[in-house]
Amino acid sequence: MKISIIIPTLNNLDYLKISLKSIIKNSFYNHEIIVHVNENTDDTIKYLEANNIKYTFSKNNLGLCSSVNLAAEQSTTNLILYAHDDMYFLPKWDKFLIDRVNELSDNKFYLSSIMINGDPKLNGHLNFNAGETADKFDENLLLNNYEKLHHDDFQGSTWAPH
């Protein structure tokens, strides 16, 4: 099963690179990735083109909702996941999600994830600091520790990715 992953971005290429690499590296399935690029005052479009990643573009910042909607119009799948450009996707994130979708009795659902946040003041579901900036991000530290973090499955979250 394939998911269209919609990621709006606004001149945040260092984080976007980490996010995109994590999707490619840690996905169980091969997904469609569609990035909406607002403004492009950095080299985001050049990076996306060099890596064969689908994108939409607006010269001005359309804002979150319009950016997501514009990118979602390009989706070719029945499942759409919205994420931020600074999110890291952990191993087999999609396997767990699709297994849950397959347990549902119909196609009317809204699922969201558990977010690991490096700053406890920001109210993440789980708090674990693996680097405060893109250049200080310690992927190995996160990958060696995320399974040790305890969380409960709960209803009602609207936090991205969803």
Side-chain angles (χ1 to χ4, degrees):
M1 187 174 287
K2 193 173 191 176
I3 299 171
S4 294
I5 303 168
I6 307 301
I7 305 172
T9 191
L10 175 62
N11 304 317
N12 203 21
L13 183 56
D14 291 339
Y15 284 99
L16 180 63
K17 285 179 181 180
I18 293 169
S19 185
L20 294 172
K21 287 177 184 177
S22 75
I23 293 168
I24 294 162
K25 174 183 177 179
N26 295 324
S27 294
F28 189 81
Y29 301 102
N30 184 27
H31 301 292
E32 175 179 57
I33 301 169
I34 308 169
V35 176
H36 179 78
V37 181
N38 285 291
E39 295 182 3
N40 192 47
T41 61
D42 56 11
D43 288 327
T44 299
I45 288 178
K46 184 188 288 185
Y47 178 82
L48 296 173
E49 288 176 345
N51 288 280
N52 238 3
I53 297 171
K54 197 174 187 179
Y55 68 91
T56 56
F57 169 69
S58 59
K59 197 171 193 173
N60 299 309
N61 180 6
L62 298 180
L64 188 63
C65 297
S66 294
S67 297
V68 168
N69 289 338
L70 190 61
E73 288 177 5
Q74 301 303 311
S75 171
T76 62
T77 72
N78 291 326
L79 296 175
I80 294 177
L81 182 134
Y82 151 69
H84 294 280
D85 59 4
D86 62 351
M87 293 184 163
Y88 184 91
F89 289 74
L90 291 166
K92 296 184 186 174
W93 67 272
D94 56 335
K95 173 123 177 50
F96 298 110
L97 180 62
I98 289 173
D99 286 351
R100 179 66 181 120
V101 167
N102 288 332
E103 292 171 0
L104 300 172
S105 60
D106 62 40
N107 65 356
K108 295 175 179 68
F109 58 86
Y110 178 95
L111 301 173
S112 61
S113 69
I114 293 178
M115 184 172 74
I116 300 172
N117 191 331
D119 185 349
K121 292 178 257 159
L122 295 178
N123 270 340
H125 295 141
L126 299 171
N127 295 307
F128 183 82
N129 192 334
E132 295 173 1
T133 60
D135 61 324
K136 292 182 181 175
F137 175 63
D138 188 337
E139 181 180 34
N140 288 327
L141 179 65
L142 177 60
L143 292 175
N144 290 328
N145 287 283
Y146 78 93
E147 291 182 301
K148 299 173 191 170
L149 301 173
H150 173 74
H151 63 85
D152 296 315
D153 192 6
F154 57 95
Q155 302 280 327
S157 171
T158 59
W159 290 19
H162 49 83

